[in-house]
Amino acid sequence: MKINALRALRHRNFRLFFFGQSVSLVGTWMTKLATSWLVYRLTGSTFLLGVISFAGQIPTFLLAPLAGVWVDRWERRRALLVTQALAAAQSLMLAGLTLTGHITIWEVVVLSVFQGLINAFDMPARQSFLVEMVEGRADLSNAIALNSTMVNGARLLGPALAGITIAAVGEGCCFLIDGLSYFAVIASLLAMRMAARPATESTTGMLTQLAEGWTYVRTFAPIRTVIVLFAIISFMGVPYTVLMPVFASTILHGGAHTLGLLMGAAGVGAVLAALSLAARKSVRGLYRVIPAMAALFGAGLAAFSFSRNFWLSLALMAVTGFGMMQMFAASSTVIQTIVEDDKRGRVMSYWTMAYMGASPFGSLLAGSLAPTLGAPGTVLLCGIGCMLGAIWFWWQIPKLRPVIRPIYERLGILPAAPEAPVAPVEVDVQG
């Protein structure tokens, strides 16, 4: 049977979101690279690269759980319209300051914090909204994989365009393009036809719901284990990106275009990873994929830290991007499949917290260690940490199988186990 790797696009709402978000994400990745280059150009400091990343992500760590409660209570499309409008305003402010020559490092910090506040609400709302756009779970795993393909297609194209744009007209135009690109996703959200779905009414307070979400994540081992590994990878692995300007300029003796190509190579690997997940029929086997890809990601980082050759570095970035995206998308797919619907927003807020919350501390640590260990030594340490996390997760799999199997059987992912035959009862008849 031929696998339809694009089957989620048959849902009109998801198709609108996919194409609108694709435009917006190109601008987002342009801004990510342009911000790193702007900070390094203004300061020449690896530590401040870590500070900027920390400032942009720490609000998510602090607010994501409360944001998850809010997402479970509110209509999610409306929430996304608000977050996208605010994100557009943030990028346009950054563009205005940069294009007029008034930008300073402290203004970058403040606007990064503002973006982090927006992301605290946007990411759990976006993740939770996927199941509404595909109208059920049947195509959910494919929608998540296509969403990852979209993100990483933009990750491939955005940095390359940013490198060209920075070299030609400066960072400010990247921020301007990003600000305007948000209107594409806003238009797609407004064009959707959604079934009537009133906001969830609850007789309990937000703090009670917050505690319920935490208890669910803490006590349900299949979700808890995935989120813990996700946090480890986010803390140890993701911060390598803050040091990419150092590798591009100092280690490989290039410029903004070199940085764009390195990030684009990681995007190539990530797109291939997402496409391979999109071709999967179901989530079966993903618990083994998660640690394998975490280990590949760590090994790719470790090898990259030793490379001084541009082409080898590009190839290793592709390996790194493949491992990271397979691990991230597989984790999201598993959680979205098994989570209870009434707790989806809160659980995805902890998933967001693990990603956007752990990585700022890792970015700050990477920026602090780089002056002492050097950028290559710091990235090597990051890779080793990811591989150790993968080993820990692999040891947990035998404990998770008995919990996961009944859920997969109930959802029809696995066939129900046959009931054990009842042994005949022998009756001793006294004659």
Side-chain angles (χ1 to χ4, degrees):
M1 177 180 175
K2 186 178 179 180
I3 299 172
N4 182 5
L6 302 176
R7 60 188 182 275
L9 291 177
R10 66 188 178 186
H11 300 276
R12 179 181 181 275
N13 290 336
F14 181 76
R15 188 165 62 248
L16 284 168
F17 178 80
F18 182 88
F19 292 112
Q21 190 69 18
S22 295
V23 174
S24 178
L25 285 171
V26 171
T28 298
W29 279 103
M30 291 181 71
T31 283
K32 284 179 181 291
L33 185 139
T35 301
S36 294
W37 191 257
L38 174 66
V39 171
Y40 196 61
R41 178 175 65 80
L42 290 175
T43 68
S45 170
T46 56
F47 175 72
L48 284 175
L49 284 172
V51 168
I52 293 298
S53 182
F54 180 85
Q57 294 173 320
I58 191 59
T60 302
F61 179 79
L62 298 174
L63 293 177
L66 283 172
V69 175
W70 181 73
V71 166
D72 277 338
R73 287 170 168 246
W74 280 53
E75 199 271 314
R76 288 160 186 163
R77 181 173 63 161
R78 184 186 306 170
L80 286 172
L81 285 169
V82 172
T83 59
Q84 295 300 294
L86 290 173
Q90 186 268 354
S91 292
L92 292 174
M93 284 189 284
L94 188 56
L97 289 168
T98 306
L99 290 170
T100 58
H102 293 102
I103 193 72
T104 68
I105 188 63
W106 299 114
E107 288 163 339
V108 177
V109 170
V110 170
L111 288 172
S112 295
V113 170
F114 182 37
Q115 184 62 57
L117 291 170
I118 297 167
N119 287 338
F121 293 86
D122 182 78
M123 292 187 69
R126 185 192 309 274
Q127 293 291 330
S128 301
F129 192 49
L130 280 174
V131 74
E132 294 181 38
M133 287 188 288
V134 298
E135 301 164 11
R137 296 175 190 262
D139 293 330
L140 179 59
S141 62
N142 183 251
I144 292 171
L146 288 178
N147 188 61
S148 299
T149 305
M150 170 179 62
V151 171
N152 289 285
R155 182 183 180 183
L156 170 62
L157 182 59
L161 289 177
I164 295 170
T165 304
I166 292 169
V169 290
E171 303 91 351
C173 284
C174 292
F175 304 141
L176 178 61
I177 293 170
D178 183 29
L180 296 175
S181 72
Y182 281 104
F183 291 98
V185 70
I186 290 172
S188 74
L189 289 168
L190 291 172
M192 290 181 185
R193 294 195 293 262
M194 304 296 299
R197 184 181 181 275
T200 303
E201 296 292 335
S202 177
T203 57
T204 58
M206 289 193 69
L207 292 180
T208 301
Q209 287 188 294
L210 180 64
E212 287 174 355
W214 169 245
T215 300
Y216 180 74
V217 170
R218 179 177 57 83
T219 58
F220 188 40
I223 288 180
R224 182 188 67 231
T225 307
V226 171
I227 288 180
V228 168
L229 178 63
F230 201 63
I232 292 171
I233 300 300
S234 297
F235 178 75
M236 294 300 302
V238 173
Y240 85 91
T241 58
V242 306
L243 298 176
M244 284 298 99
V246 183
F247 278 91
S249 62
T250 304
I251 307 297
L252 298 175
H253 308 292
H257 67 285
T258 306
L259 178 58
L261 289 171
L262 287 172
M263 299 303 290
V268 170
V271 167
L272 293 175
L275 288 174
S276 69
L277 281 176
R280 292 180 65 95
K281 290 182 178 180
S282 77
V283 300
R284 292 179 63 176
L286 284 186
Y287 267 99
R288 293 188 298 275
V289 169
I290 291 170
M293 292 300 104
L296 180 65
F297 175 48
L301 285 179
F304 176 78
S305 71
F306 290 104
S307 175
R308 301 297 180 269
N309 178 273
F310 174 69
W311 295 107
L312 177 59
S313 295
L314 285 182
L316 290 171
M317 276 290 96
V319 171
T320 298
F322 185 93
M324 182 176 71
M325 182 43 53
Q326 277 269 25
M327 184 266 167
F328 281 13
S331 299
S332 177
T333 301
V334 166
I335 291 177
Q336 287 269 43
T337 300
I338 65 177
V339 67
E340 297 176 13
D341 283 333
D342 65 334
K343 298 180 178 67
R344 186 176 301 275
R346 281 167 285 177
V347 169
M348 295 316 297
S349 73
Y350 282 106
W351 184 87
T352 300
M353 186 178 179
Y355 175 44
M356 297 292 287
S359 58
F361 291 101
S363 297
L364 200 59
L365 179 64
S368 301
L369 290 177
T372 303
L373 299 180
T378 303
V379 170
L380 174 61
L381 182 64
C382 291
I384 292 171
C386 292
M387 288 186 280
L388 292 175
I391 293 170
W392 168 80
F393 188 95
W394 193 265
W395 283 344
Q396 307 303 310
I397 291 179
K399 303 175 187 176
L400 300 177
R401 285 198 184 103
V403 183
I404 286 293
R405 185 172 184 89
I407 299 173
Y408 280 6
E409 289 177 359
R410 175 169 54 83
L411 295 173
I413 296 169
L414 288 175
E419 295 183 5
V422 179
V425 179
E426 293 185 5
V427 180
D428 184 14
V429 180
Q430 299 290 332

